[in-house]
Amino acid sequence: MGREHWKRIWIGSAGNMVEWFDWFVYASFATYFAGAFFPSGNPTAQLMNTAGIFAVGFFMRPVGGWLLGRVGDRRGRKAALTLTVTLMSASAVLIAVAPTYAVAGYGGALVLLVARLLQGLSVGGEYAASATYLTEATDPRRRGFASSFQYVSMTAGQIVGLGLLIVLQRTMSDDALHSYGWRIPFVVGALGAAVVFYLRRTMLETEVYAQDTSGGEERGTLRALWRHRREAFLVIALTMGGTVAYYTYTTYLTKYLSNSAGLSKETATLVSFTALIVFACLQPLAGRLSDRIGRRPLLITFAVGSTVLTVPIMTLLKHADGYWPALGLALLALVVVTGYTSINACVKAELFPTGVRALGVALPYAIANALFGGTAEYVALWFKDAGAESGFSWYVAGCAAVSLVVYITMRETKDLDLTRVPSREASRATTAS
């Protein structure tokens, strides 16, 4: 890979990192600001309220996927990526200045809700624009490796967020963090988004997009996507198990370790922080492996492992009595999840032709995340509040089992030509063995 390819990957990844920093610090700092926007009482109920608003952001992702996917296919990947980071910056500012329940009653929660809606719009388009850009901007023989930086940057955003949380936990009192310290990461996120906005204004468009002349006025439209509806439904199905598992072991893990296993917030945060660093390092290795052996073997390995191991891992995590046992189990879970995260971006992008690729990835992926990823934390807390916490583990395993059927029956995508304009028959052949 030449210097220009690395530059494109770097700019795309840096922006993605800031996007997901802003998205994930909401979840990482929720235990500190949950009481700021809702009446005092049951801590689990407060977390359920903030998790509900977190889930609402996911339900805006299909709208963002449609709007920004259309921009990406009609105006270019660069235009979509620049717009997404602008929206994310605005949402971070809103959360940073949102008034508390004591000051404005439920008005603060309303501001929080509006900010999450903006974040949902932004991330709904960011994933697809970034996945499409990273997949198109590299050698066809290294698409798995290049697109793996999608989750490297996503995870890096969460690592930075958790790292900032650790620093604040060690330099501020618990009362200060609950009072105003939780606002700091959102200020940082807004400033980081401003820097990335400049970087993305100077980025180059991908050659695959720039040279494509197909589609005409139907580029990026729902009508064009409907012609590839089989691929769209395939994206939803193959995302289902992976997104539930990913959010279980990333955004929800810290809360699970502190709220269910009884570990301190500091220990739970350190476990997540360490595990995510290892997880990020695994992504390019698995992505490169997929360039050699194909995407399906990694997807199938993930689904089998998640189906079989989720219940034992979650049960043991609940009884983890310290940093090292919890870290070992978290690492095992994330190694399994790597089979999905490292390559899912390029698999989805490889399914669609250039004129509908951004929308084709964005909308069905956002729908799957709204239904399964965004609700994972809320479902977990609902099971806990109902006194049947173990039910969530079976739910995660069940979602993975459904995706396993899809992975087994889908066709390999690593050798597909991104510049193709497939016929209707070829479109059908892509989704069936």
Side-chain angles (χ1 to χ4, degrees):
M1 296 173 65
R3 178 180 297 179
E4 189 59 43
H5 281 140
W6 278 111
K7 180 181 178 181
R8 291 180 178 185
I9 291 173
W10 156 244
I11 293 178
S13 298
N16 201 36
M17 181 185 73
V18 174
E19 287 268 4
W20 289 94
F21 169 86
D22 288 337
W23 181 258
F24 280 122
V25 290
Y26 179 98
S28 299
F29 282 80
T31 54
Y32 289 101
F33 68 73
F37 295 103
F38 301 99
S40 60
N42 186 342
T44 299
Q46 290 179 339
L47 284 174
M48 286 183 69
N49 286 328
T50 54
I53 293 179
F54 183 79
V56 166
F58 275 84
F59 283 97
M60 285 302 292
R61 288 176 67 165
V63 180
W66 168 57
L67 290 174
L68 296 170
R70 180 182 173 89
V71 171
D73 285 327
R74 296 182 71 87
R75 304 296 181 185
R77 318 313 187 199
K78 174 182 174 180
L81 287 169
T82 303
L83 182 55
T84 60
V85 79
T86 303
L87 292 172
M88 187 61 77
S89 179
S91 65
V93 171
L94 282 177
I95 297 176
V97 302
T100 64
Y101 181 82
V103 173
Y106 284 107
L110 180 61
V111 174
L112 191 67
L113 177 62
V114 171
R116 288 300 293 177
L117 294 176
L118 287 177
Q119 285 189 338
L121 282 173
S122 175
V123 177
E126 168 66 25
Y127 174 88
S130 179
T132 301
Y133 188 86
L134 290 172
T135 302
E136 290 180 348
T138 192
D139 188 309
R141 297 167 297 179
R142 293 176 177 265
R143 290 200 300 250
F145 173 76
S147 65
S148 70
F149 284 88
Q150 173 94 357
Y151 272 81
V152 171
S153 56
M154 286 173 61
T155 306
Q158 190 173 6
I159 290 171
V160 173
L162 287 172
L164 180 56
L165 176 57
I166 291 172
V167 171
L168 294 178
Q169 286 174 336
R170 282 157 174 72
T171 58
M172 301 180 68
S173 67
D174 194 63
D175 288 341
L177 272 173
H178 281 86
S179 176
Y180 65 89
W182 59 266
R183 298 182 187 272
I184 295 174
F186 298 104
V187 174
V188 172
L191 294 175
V195 174
V196 172
F197 176 81
Y198 170 76
L199 290 175
R200 286 188 166 177
R201 291 279 294 177
T202 62
M203 72 193 300
L204 299 176
E205 189 58 79
T206 68
E207 293 180 7
V208 172
Y209 178 84
Q211 295 175 2
D212 182 74
T213 58
S214 64
E217 289 301 313
E218 289 195 350
R219 292 177 68 94
T221 64
L222 293 177
R223 179 182 299 177
L225 179 60
W226 184 247
R227 296 195 183 96
H228 302 277
R229 56 189 176 275
R230 291 175 180 266
E231 290 89 340
F233 284 115
L234 178 60
V235 168
I236 294 175
L238 68 87
T239 300
M240 177 181 178
T243 192
V244 171
Y246 175 74
Y247 281 100
T248 297
Y249 295 120
T250 55
T251 59
Y252 181 60
L253 179 64
T254 304
K255 298 182 185 65
Y256 185 69
L257 291 176
S258 61
N259 204 29
S260 296
L263 298 181
S264 67
K265 290 179 181 178
E266 292 77 11
T267 300
T269 301
L270 188 59
V271 168
S272 293
F273 180 76
T274 309
L276 286 172
I277 290 176
V278 177
F279 178 66
C281 294
L282 290 175
Q283 303 309 299
L285 299 177
R288 189 70 184 101
L289 179 63
S290 78
D291 287 326
R292 294 179 179 275
I293 68 173
R295 322 299 189 210
R296 289 179 65 249
L298 272 71
L299 291 172
I300 291 172
T301 299
F302 150 71
V304 171
S306 190
T307 301
V308 174
L309 296 176
T310 295
V311 174
I313 288 175
M314 293 294 285
T315 302
L316 292 172
L317 276 172
K318 186 175 182 179
H319 296 92
D321 57 0
Y323 170 78
W324 289 108
L327 177 62
L329 291 165
L331 286 175
L332 175 59
L334 289 174
V335 167
V336 172
V337 174
T338 295
Y340 166 80
T341 56
S342 60
I343 58 171
N344 81 93
C346 67
V347 169
K348 294 161 189 171
E350 287 167 343
L351 290 172
F352 298 94
T354 304
V356 75
R357 184 168 293 129
L359 179 62
V361 175
L363 184 56
Y365 172 78
I367 290 173
N369 266 274
L371 295 175
F372 304 106
T375 59
E377 183 178 325
Y378 190 85
V379 170
L381 291 170
W382 181 86
F383 272 112
K384 178 178 175 59
D385 197 53
E389 190 168 27
S390 62
F392 177 67
S393 302
W394 290 101
Y395 168 75
V396 177
C399 290
V402 172
S403 288
L404 174 60
V405 175
V406 178
Y407 301 153
I408 291 174
T409 57
M410 69 181 286
R411 174 163 293 186
E412 181 57 61
T413 63
K414 82 177 183 71
D415 294 322
L416 292 177
D417 181 7
L418 293 185
T419 63
R420 73 193 186 284
V421 183
S423 64
R424 195 176 187 85
E425 291 71 21
S427 175
R428 292 194 180 104
T430 304
T431 58
S433 298

